[in-house]
């Protein structure tokens, strides 16, 4: 027998990060279309700003923000993992990326009070048990006195199903949303802090929280964004043969349900959060 293992492309491509990264570019575009801006219009752009993007992923936001600012601006994307950072050789000279855990409440001494703007987007799945204060403490330490915080979130607990016309079944879409929220709850992602956002930010002088509804023309696009995410989640579900008795669902039954969800979506059902929560504070 040969000692060379059989080539299996699915095993070879262990890390399928490009799926996740593609979805983040797409989601970035959707947020811009929903809000109508990259850098919040309140933030003065006529001075050399130092900008930090926390949990920047592939840098979709920070790269686009660099196009809106003069070349004197300096922009840094921070993330706990570097696998989605673009190659520095291809970046504008005033954009860089760096590894940083932003959930500790601490801040490296060389970054203390060095940023005019800190941007955060979509930490709803990262903040565990509602403990958002360590992240906010890190933001305060990164910001110069009087600096600006810009933050966008959606609240998964507001996810719901709509149809353009009556008589379109939504039972499987509703079941999927219920399950996602249940699994989130079991793993500690709770979203009460988002209903209390203004209070969580009460150490800032001036806090504006806006709830921007999803334009109906983008219902299809947001739905597809969620479907890509929810399909990825299947990989984290235990297979029936390995499942403990208390798992809410196995990978096989999840994928069966997902097929039915797609049938409902193909008939016109859409999945949407109520709005995008857009915060600016300083
Ligand atoms: C949902 S993605 C959002 C990416 C980006 N903000 C966007 O909107 O396109 C969350 C990002 O946060 C990063 N992240 C998770 N925990 C983190 C931590 N403790 N410190 C810094 N980044 C973190 C993840 O690696 C991921 O890139």
């Amino acid at each position: 027998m040969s000692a060379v293992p059989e080539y299996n492309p699915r095993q070879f491509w262990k890390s399928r990060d490009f799926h996740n990264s593609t979805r983040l570019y797409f989601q970035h575009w959707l947020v811009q279309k929903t809000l109508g801006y990259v850098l919040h219009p309140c933030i003065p752009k006529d001075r050399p700003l130092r900008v930090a993007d926390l949990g920047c992923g592939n840098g979709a936001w920070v790269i686009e923000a660099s196009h809106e600012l003069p070349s004197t601006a300096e922009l840094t994307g921070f993330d706990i993992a570097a696998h989605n950072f673009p190659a520095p050789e291809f970046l504008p000279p005033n954009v860089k990326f760096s590894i940083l855990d932003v959930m500790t409440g601490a801040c490296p001494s060389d970054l203390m009070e060095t940023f005019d703007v800190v941007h955060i987007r979509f930490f709803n799945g990262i903040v565990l048990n509602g403990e958002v204060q360590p992240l906010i403490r890190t933001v305060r330490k990164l910001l110069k006195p009087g600096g600006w915080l810009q933050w966008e979130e959606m609240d998964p607990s507001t996810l719901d199903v709509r149809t353009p016309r009556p008589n379109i079944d939504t039972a499987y879409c509703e079941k999927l949303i219920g399950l996602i929220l249940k699994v989130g709850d079991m793993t500690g992602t709770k979203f009460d802090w988002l209903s209390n956002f203004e209070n969580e930010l009460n150490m800032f002088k001036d806090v504006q929280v806006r709830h921007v509804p999803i334009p109906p023309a983008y219902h299809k696009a947001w739905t597809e964004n969620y479907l890509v995410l929810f399909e990825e989640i299947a990989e984290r579900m235990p297979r029936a043969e390995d499942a403990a008795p208390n798992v809410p669902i196995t990978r096989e039954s999840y994928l069966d349900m997902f097929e039915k969800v797609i049938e409902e979506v193909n008939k016109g059902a859409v999945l949407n959060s109520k709005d995008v929560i857009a915060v600016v504070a300083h």
Side-chain angles (χ1 to χ4, degrees):
M1 261 189 10
S2 161
V4 180
E6 198 183 332
Y7 172 67
N8 177 337
R10 281 194 81 83
Q11 275 184 15
F12 179 76
W13 290 105
K14 275 204 182 0
S15 167
R16 303 179 73 78
D17 292 327
F18 61 92
H19 282 289
N20 179 260
S21 177
T22 307
R23 192 186 66 79
L24 289 180
Y25 285 119
F26 175 52
Q27 186 171 265
H28 166 76
W29 173 81
L30 273 174
V31 177
Q32 302 327 319
K33 293 289 169 200
T34 303
L35 298 185
Y37 59 83
V38 180
L39 258 175
H40 196 285
C42 281
I43 298 173
K45 303 181 183 69
D46 57 349
R47 58 202 74 173
L49 295 177
R50 279 180 51 91
V51 180
D53 185 22
L54 309 188
C56 64
N58 56 23
W61 182 87
V62 81
I63 292 170
E64 200 166 333
S66 77
H67 301 324
E68 293 196 346
L69 292 171
S71 58
T72 48
E74 292 175 45
L75 303 98
T76 309
F78 293 101
D79 202 288
I80 200 165
H83 59 266
N84 274 327
F85 293 171
E89 295 79 355
F90 292 150
L91 292 171
N94 61 343
V95 177
K96 63 179 182 184
F97 289 85
S98 187
I99 299 272
L100 183 67
D101 181 351
V102 301
M103 296 299 290
T104 62
C107 168
S109 55
D110 59 326
L111 297 177
M112 271 299 221
E113 298 192 356
T114 56
F115 290 97
D116 303 283
V117 180
V118 169
H119 175 251
I120 303 175
R121 188 167 64 190
F122 294 149
F123 265 57
N124 57 39
I126 295 166
V127 170
L128 289 182
N129 302 311
E131 288 163 14
V132 69
Q133 284 304 321
L135 173 60
I136 294 170
R137 282 202 297 280
T138 296
V139 171
R140 290 294 300 186
K141 290 175 182 164
L142 287 165
L143 278 176
K144 293 178 187 171
W148 295 82
L149 167 65
Q150 177 184 330
W151 193 336
E152 293 95 32
E153 288 293 340
M154 53 76 69
D155 180 349
S157 69
T158 70
L159 272 172
D160 74 358
V161 189
R162 286 185 217 177
T163 59
R165 294 169 294 279
N167 307 327
I168 295 176
D169 283 339
T170 58
Y172 285 98
C173 289
E174 273 154 29
K175 198 169 159 191
L176 174 71
I177 290 173
L179 182 87
I180 297 287
L181 293 175
K182 182 168 179 195
V183 171
D185 202 45
M186 288 170 79
T187 53
T189 40
K190 302 186 176 19
F191 310 111
D192 299 353
W193 62 280
L194 287 166
S195 330
N196 203 22
F197 221 155
E198 228 146 342
N199 283 343
E200 296 286 4
L201 293 168
N202 62 9
M203 71 289 293
F204 285 85
K205 271 202 319 266
D206 178 14
V207 181
Q208 295 172 41
V209 180
R210 259 191 336 131
H211 290 258
V212 183
I214 307 295
Y218 294 124
H219 280 341
K220 176 174 159 59
W222 276 102
T223 301
E224 286 162 0
N225 175 52
Y226 292 128
L227 287 181
V228 175
L229 176 66
F230 295 155
E231 189 174 37
E232 270 175 26
I233 287 172
E235 283 180 26
R236 298 186 217 157
M237 307 258 167
R239 289 187 188 282
E241 62 196 41
D242 309 322
N246 64 339
V247 296
I249 194 159
T250 63
R251 190 180 308 179
E252 291 82 350
S253 45
Y254 181 82
L255 287 172
D256 283 346
M257 177 180 67
F258 194 76
E259 285 304 314
K260 307 260 182 17
V261 166
I262 293 171
E263 283 169 27
E264 291 178 352
V265 167
N266 286 343
K267 289 179 185 149
V270 295
L271 312 174
N272 265 296
S273 67
K274 204 164 116 228
D275 45 35
V276 173
I277 309 172
V279 175
V280 68
H282 87 130

